[in-house]
């Protein structure tokens, strides 16, 4: 794990150094450009003993051409969903709120054309909030779950309007507010060090000049470390998430 982390950080440092060198030779009068988008999609999250399934809407922004860093692209995504919780052991719960944010800074590593065409890499910060408070159909009480993760994203953008992106998890913290379900339990914080995601999307130009970008995204996280709360040991289990939808860019 230490070796992999060292290699990832070394790659990132080289990428940033190359990007900063390019920035020094780029025109300083570049006009910043913001591209906005709105999305609608389906989100399915699964663990070994439970599932969350529901629709989500999103707001997306991409900023490029910043005077100080003209070759960098800064991005932000905010996704809001309402999901249904199902579990064979603890019952069902409707209307679970899910808020996910993603923030990325990407710099070109290898250009193949104009704009963002080619290979880019950088750093990403993702957050997730699940509001599972309430009582399930089998009278089990729920609680809030929060996650903060640092990722290393790599993206390939082709001239044919295809975009392929993957990322490796550098480190994540997962908080479970167990005291909301049972006052005798203390809230816990698990550490996650294993995970990856992949996303594929394309861009279709519409008659009014906007672009529609269908996408599919898959995220996999490994088991976290184990922590103690009261007399029990808790681990954030291996999980998978599928997100399918489309972004309308304008």
């Amino acid at each position: 794990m230490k070796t992999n982390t060292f290699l990832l950080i070394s790659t990132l440092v080289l990428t940033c150094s190359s990007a900063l060198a390019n920035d020094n030779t780029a025109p300083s009068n570049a006009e910043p450009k913001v591209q906005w988008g709105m999305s609608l999609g389906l989100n399915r999250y699964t663990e070994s003993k439970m599932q969350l399934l529901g629709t989500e809407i999103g707001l997306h922004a991409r900023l490029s051409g910043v005077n100080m860093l003209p070759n960098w692209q800064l991005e932000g995504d905010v996704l809001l969903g309402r999901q249904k919780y199902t579990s064979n052991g603890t019952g069902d719960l409707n209307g679970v709120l899910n808020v996910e944010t993603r923030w990325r800074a990407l710099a070109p590593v290898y250009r193949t054309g104009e704009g963002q065409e080619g290979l880019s890499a950088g750093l990403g910060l993702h957050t997730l909030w699940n509001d599972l408070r309430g009582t399930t159909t089998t009278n089990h009480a729920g609680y809030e779950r929060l996650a903060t993760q640092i990722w290393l994203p790599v993206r390939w953008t082709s001239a044919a309007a295809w975009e392929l992106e993957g990322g490796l998890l550098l480190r994540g913290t997962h908080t479970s507010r167990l005291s909301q379900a049972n006052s005798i339990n203390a809230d816990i914080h698990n550490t996650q060090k294993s995970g990856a995601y992949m996303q594929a999307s394309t861009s279709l130009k519409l008659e009014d000049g906007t672009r529609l970008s269908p996408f599919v995204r898959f995220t996999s996280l490994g088991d976290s470390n184990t922590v103690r709360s009261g007399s029990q040991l808790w681990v954030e289990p291996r999980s998978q998430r599928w997100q399918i939808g489309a972004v309308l860019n304008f």
Side-chain angles (χ1 to χ4, degrees):
M1 177 61 71
K2 291 182 179 179
T3 301
N4 291 339
T5 302
F6 174 78
L7 291 175
L8 291 174
I9 294 175
S10 299
T11 301
L12 179 61
V13 170
L14 291 174
T15 299
C16 293
S17 299
S18 174
L20 288 172
N22 291 333
D23 288 338
N24 290 334
T25 61
S28 59
N29 59 351
E31 289 293 331
K33 178 182 178 182
V34 181
Q35 181 185 66
W36 295 94
M38 297 185 66
S39 67
L40 177 64
L42 181 68
N43 186 334
R44 181 175 183 263
Y45 172 89
T46 58
E47 295 178 3
S48 58
K49 297 182 180 180
M50 71 90 153
Q51 170 183 279
L52 286 164
L53 177 65
T55 57
E56 62 183 4
I57 58 174
L59 177 65
H60 310 267
R62 291 188 176 187
L63 173 64
S64 58
V66 179
N67 288 336
M68 295 298 293
L69 299 170
N71 292 320
W72 287 71
Q73 182 158 284
L74 309 177
E75 303 177 357
D77 308 308
V78 180
L79 303 166
L80 171 65
R82 291 187 69 88
Q83 303 175 325
K84 180 178 181 180
Y85 169 90
T86 57
S87 169
N88 292 332
T90 56
D92 301 345
L93 180 64
N94 293 321
V96 175
L97 281 176
N98 181 81
V99 179
E100 180 182 2
T101 72
R102 307 180 198 136
W103 312 96
R104 295 174 301 284
L106 296 168
V109 178
Y110 176 72
R111 291 185 182 275
T112 60
E114 298 180 357
Q116 300 298 322
E117 292 179 19
L119 185 66
S120 301
L123 273 178
L125 174 66
H126 296 181
T127 68
L128 183 68
W129 173 65
N130 282 127
D131 188 1
L132 287 161
R133 288 174 294 180
T135 304
T136 69
T137 54
T138 55
N139 292 319
H140 284 80
Y143 51 87
E144 291 176 280
R145 302 173 355 135
L146 305 95
T148 302
Q149 303 159 349
I150 299 175
W151 292 83
L152 177 65
V154 178
R155 176 185 296 163
W156 175 264
T157 304
S158 73
W162 280 96
E163 193 171 88
L164 304 175
E165 183 177 323
L168 292 177
L169 178 67
L170 297 179
R171 188 176 183 86
T173 300
H174 194 284
T175 299
S176 300
R177 293 179 174 170
L178 302 177
S179 61
Q180 294 175 342
N182 191 329
S183 59
I184 67 172
N185 291 327
D187 297 343
I188 59 172
H189 307 278
N190 293 99
T191 300
Q192 298 170 309
K193 296 182 179 180
S194 175
Y197 75 83
M198 295 178 291
Q199 178 169 315
S201 64
T202 188
S203 181
L204 308 173
K205 188 172 183 179
L206 304 181
E207 292 182 357
D208 60 359
T210 59
R211 287 186 173 273
L212 186 67
S213 300
F215 68 86
V216 58
R217 183 184 183 94
F218 174 73
T219 305
S220 177
L221 294 173
D223 292 335
S224 72
N225 67 332
T226 301
V227 299
R228 180 180 294 277
S229 177
S231 60
Q232 298 185 52
L233 295 176
W234 298 81
V235 61
E236 187 60 26
R238 184 184 305 272
S239 65
Q240 295 183 345
R241 183 187 301 274
W242 283 95
Q243 291 166 288
I244 300 173
V247 181
L248 180 64
N249 296 298
F250 48 90

